[in-house]
Amino acid sequence: MGVCVLDEDFRPAALVKMAPTGFDSPPEPLRMGKNTFYYYGPGGGGVSYPDGYYFNLRGKILVIDFDGPYENDKTPTAETKRMETKVLASFRQF
């Protein structure tokens, strides 16, 4: 899992440059708990991609990546995806 804040203004259109291969539009909003995240999953090209979630943190881009494990697929396992949902639903801003 990786977490970072980018020193860039949050705009869904700005997320396109972080998209996996094959995506050319902003990610769709996804409600988790009380917050809205923007999600990119696997892209094209036959390589593994982390599940990437983006959040508007006080006007900047908060990036949360869940990277693997990968088992015969280019996206993290179902177990990881269940964990993602629980972690993101518990997210609170201070």
Side-chain angles (χ1 to χ4, degrees):
M1 183 172 154
V3 178
C4 70
V5 176
L6 302 179
D7 189 22
E8 183 174 336
D9 292 339
F10 182 90
R11 292 177 295 110
L15 302 175
V16 174
K17 68 182 175 191
M18 293 175 263
T21 302
F23 287 90
D24 59 0
S25 60
E28 291 295 317
L30 179 63
R31 190 83 171 157
M32 296 268 192
K34 296 180 179 180
N35 297 299
T36 301
F37 294 86
Y38 294 79
Y39 167 77
Y40 280 126
V47 298
S48 298
Y49 291 92
D51 283 346
Y53 294 89
Y54 304 88
F55 181 78
N56 183 350
L57 182 65
R58 298 182 187 103
K60 299 298 178 186
I61 301 171
L62 173 68
V63 181
I64 303 171
D65 284 335
F66 294 89
D67 195 7
Y70 303 94
E71 295 176 4
N72 302 318
D73 201 355
K74 57 184 180 177
T75 189
T77 62
E79 181 179 5
T80 299
K81 290 182 181 299
R82 286 189 296 275
M83 180 194 66
E84 293 170 8
T85 301
K86 291 178 184 177
V87 169
L88 294 175
S90 71
F91 183 76
R92 295 183 319 164
Q93 290 189 65
F94 296 96

